Amino acid sequence: DDSIIIASGTTVLAFARCIRPIHRLTVISASIQVSETLAANESIDVVQLGGSLRTSSLSVVGKYAESPLAEFSCSKLFLGVDGIDLDFGITTTDIREADLNKIMMHTAQKTIVLADSSKFRRRGFSKIANMDEIDLIITDEGISDKIANRIEELGIELTVVPVTQKQ
């Protein structure tokens, strides 16, 4: 019985594949792959944003993706990023995607960044947000203790999950 936003990217697509709601769930997404994955579950109502298609990520961007978000309120945004620099903030490689992500953040009550440990100390081309706008980061055990401690000092909740090898 929740409404969430799932942005685009390979990490959030992997997350979407794991969603098993107990009750009804409404998901708004810019990712065609996320929407397609979730559409197979009858307990999930999917709202696919429109807009200009980015063929590299099969996601939408632009004003037609952004404008419907003003009409919604969601509890959480699950956001994939291309870089996390603790001084600069979170980034992506595409300006239009950064703009859409900013609007998604305003639509959601809580911003959750899903990023593997390789994304730390990296910067993408376009800034999405400052670190103080992030509520929770979920990453893998490859994160250094120094970075983990700094994230917690910034007041950001951090969840570190073990990496499992696929057989």
Side-chain angles (χ1 to χ4, degrees):
D1 296 321
D2 201 0
S3 298
I4 64 173
I5 304 171
I6 301 177
S8 62
T10 56
T11 306
V12 295
L13 177 58
F15 165 69
R17 290 182 179 129
C18 298
I19 295 176
R20 306 284 182 270
I22 298 168
H23 300 287
R24 297 289 316 158
L25 176 65
T26 300
V27 176
I28 300 169
S29 186
S31 168
I32 292 170
Q33 293 173 308
V34 165
S35 293
E36 183 179 37
T37 298
L38 297 177
N41 189 318
E42 292 181 6
S43 298
I44 302 175
D45 296 317
V46 178
V47 177
Q48 171 64 55
L49 295 174
S52 299
L53 181 65
R54 289 186 62 215
T55 55
S56 62
S57 62
L58 291 178
S59 63
V60 295
V61 292
K63 71 178 183 176
Y64 297 111
E66 296 168 3
S67 59
L69 292 170
E71 304 297 321
F72 302 119
S73 176
C74 296
S75 66
K76 297 166 205 74
L77 163 63
F78 294 89
L79 183 64
V81 298
D82 291 306
I84 302 174
D85 181 297
L86 299 182
D87 296 317
F88 186 72
I90 58 172
T91 56
T92 185
T93 57
D94 188 280
I95 252 176
R96 300 164 304 161
E97 185 178 28
D99 289 344
L100 177 59
N101 290 166
K102 289 172 189 175
I103 293 169
M104 288 176 165
M105 288 178 70
H106 291 292
T107 303
Q109 297 166 19
K110 185 174 187 176
T111 298
I112 302 167
V113 172
L114 305 176
D116 67 75
S117 58
S118 73
K119 303 294 173 90
F120 290 94
R121 292 191 173 137
R122 288 177 48 185
R123 287 188 190 185
F125 173 70
S126 189
K127 185 173 185 173
I128 300 168
N130 293 318
M131 294 306 296
D132 63 0
E133 298 175 78
I134 306 305
D135 298 293
L136 167 63
I137 296 173
I138 301 174
T139 192
D140 63 77
E141 59 197 353
I143 187 172
S144 73
D145 290 341
K146 182 179 178 181
I147 292 174
N149 291 336
R150 179 105 187 276
I151 289 169
E152 291 173 349
E153 287 169 7
L154 291 170
I156 301 167
E157 186 180 348
L158 177 65
T159 300
V160 178
V161 295
V163 178
T164 57
Q165 298 291 331
K166 288 187 176 185
Q167 300 287 335

